[in-house]
Amino acid sequence: MKGALSARNLRRYYTLRQRGSLFSTSKTLKAVDGLSFEVAPGEMFGIVGESGSGKSTTARLLLGQIPPTSGEVWFGGDKVGSVPDASWRRMRKRMQMIYQDPLSALDPRIAIAGQIEEPLIVHFPDFTPSDRRRRVAQVMADVGLLSHHGDRYPHELSGGQRQRVIIARALAMEPELLVCDEPVSALDVSVQAQVLNVFADIRERTGFTGVFISHDLKVIRQVADRVGVMYLGRIVEMGPPDEVFHRPAHPYTKALVSAVPRTGRSARSRIILAGEPPNPVNVPSGCPFHTRCPEARSGCRSLVPELVASGGRAVACHLVNNPSFSGGEAA
Ligand code: SF4
């Protein structure tokens, strides 16, 4: 049950049209802007960033739910989104997504067992009803749901139990790729820990390849083998979570890490960034982070930094990649 995932120079732009009294104008929103990363078979890749950084658009691109403006996604040797209908259905079955809000992903009128069984009817036409019942019972047990939960309706379960149902439904398809978009952010901390343990157990047993998206650095650190930090549709830093979060190199990652409360860290050591992230319709020139970067040089306003890999880490910052960067004075 293993396959490698590859995102190659992925872009997703949206054209926004504004109608004026005389003319209509259009602007381009760059939700994802040149994303490249590889996820090895069986690896869990974490993506972290503020809201609006392009994380959810990335999730949908990876699963072929929306087409890229340019670039490609490959999974297990197949190009996502390029195969004819029947093959795409087979491929889609191998790739599952877990959403942030389990209540809106469940049908309030269908009991839990029926909702886990439903995709099996579509994607496993050879299964007999007893095959399906066996699979449903198995995945419910895998995520720690009891058999009587199968007869309940979504509103009769707690938030944590509903998220377990979503995970069970995805696992029933025996996915090779699981993309999780903020799957625990709506849960309280103790339930989060239970659900993350369920992920860890199942991952160990089935070895699926995963992408785990969260705004929460602590969650990413717990589940991911490698992490990519996103800012305005791009990855600005990538590497093993322990290294990235212990020794952040990119000024944006430094600010994110400094905002995580930790015993012994004084409030004064927090790096406060100027302003809100820019609107993705008006991405700043040069380094997109230069308008908020406490270390920016004047040259950062015009030169776009590349994501440069070195020793298992990759960083997109002129100062990090070129210590003698002569981009002028601090901006
Ligand atoms: S390239 Fe310049 S503006 Fe961008 S993160 Fe590095 S120092 Fe800051």
Side-chain angles (χ1 to χ4, degrees):
M1 298 234 303
K2 292 185 174 185
L5 175 71
S6 171
R8 302 178 186 168
N9 212 8
L10 215 48
R11 290 189 160 78
R12 175 69 195 194
Y13 295 171
Y14 295 92
T15 303
L16 306 180
R17 293 190 204 291
Q18 284 176 322
R19 233 168 242 166
S21 50
L22 289 176
F23 304 105
S24 63
T25 54
S26 67
K27 289 185 170 178
T28 303
L29 185 153
K30 298 179 176 179
V32 168
D33 196 17
L35 213 58
S36 294
F37 59 86
E38 306 279 330
V39 186
E43 186 181 32
M44 180 67 92
F45 184 68
I47 298 181
V48 72
E50 291 165 294
S51 116
S53 58
K55 305 188 299 292
S56 294
T57 305
T58 302
R60 299 179 66 203
L61 286 166
L62 294 177
L63 290 176
Q65 292 179 352
I66 49 172
T69 304
S70 64
E72 296 172 352
V73 178
W74 287 76
F75 179 63
D78 295 312
K79 187 174 164 189
V80 173
S82 71
V83 283
D85 275 1
S87 320
W88 171 238
R89 201 175 311 143
R90 276 196 297 277
M91 192 172 180
R92 186 71 194 81
K93 179 172 85 174
R94 296 158 54 204
M95 308 160 74
Q96 293 291 311
M97 180 147 176
I98 293 176
Y99 298 89
Q100 174 175 2
D101 177 9
L103 197 53
S104 65
L106 293 169
D107 188 328
R109 299 157 304 171
I110 302 178
I112 294 309
Q115 303 211 39
I116 300 174
E117 185 183 4
E118 214 170 28
L120 296 175
I121 298 170
V122 178
H123 292 289
F124 293 86
D126 298 340
F127 273 23
T128 64
S130 64
D131 289 338
R132 293 199 297 268
R133 277 196 295 276
R134 252 197 312 277
R135 173 73 63 90
V136 170
Q138 178 63 54
V139 290
M140 284 180 63
D142 284 347
V143 300
L145 288 169
L146 303 174
S147 56
H148 70 266
H149 289 131
D151 301 325
R152 302 255 172 97
Y153 289 84
H155 70 276
E156 296 177 303
L157 301 182
S158 68
Q161 287 168 334
R162 285 196 287 262
Q163 194 56 286
R164 285 169 194 250
V165 174
I166 297 292
I167 298 171
R169 191 168 64 179
L171 291 176
M173 306 291 287
E174 297 193 329
E176 295 171 46
L177 173 67
L178 200 55
V179 176
C180 312
D181 187 7
E182 300 272 10
V184 294
S185 56
L187 306 176
D188 61 42
V189 177
S190 63
V191 184
Q192 269 190 13
Q194 291 168 17
V195 173
L196 292 177
N197 286 340
V198 168
F199 270 112
D201 287 350
I202 294 169
R203 206 181 134 213
E204 204 174 299
R205 253 184 299 130
T206 65
F208 62 80
T209 304
V211 175
F212 198 106
I213 292 171
S214 177
H215 66 280
D216 188 331
L217 274 61
K218 283 190 271 184
V219 167
I220 289 290
R221 194 161 170 204
Q222 196 175 333
V223 298
D225 302 311
R226 257 177 340 118
V227 60
V229 180
M230 274 188 86
Y231 186 78
L232 281 181
R234 303 170 190 211
I235 288 184
V236 296
E237 182 158 8
M238 194 156 59
D242 272 350
E243 286 184 34
V244 170
F245 297 150
H246 259 127
R247 293 187 299 106
H250 192 283
Y252 176 62
T253 319
K254 288 181 189 171
L256 281 185
V257 171
S258 80
V260 177
R262 224 172 59 192
T263 326
R265 179 187 283 155
S266 78
R268 266 185 300 174
S269 61
R270 179 170 177 186
I271 301 167
I272 307 287
L273 293 177
E276 295 293 313
N279 187 330
V281 171
N282 288 313
V283 175
S285 60
C287 173
F289 187 54
H290 84 256
T291 52
R292 302 171 81 200
C293 180
E295 301 176 40
R297 302 290 189 270
S298 54
C300 300
R301 294 183 197 145
S302 52
L303 296 168
V304 180
E306 297 293 324
L307 187 66
V308 177
S310 167
R313 296 278 288 272
V315 184
C317 171
H318 296 306
L319 288 189
V320 174
N321 295 325
N322 179 7
S324 59
F325 177 62
S326 57
E329 296 303 309

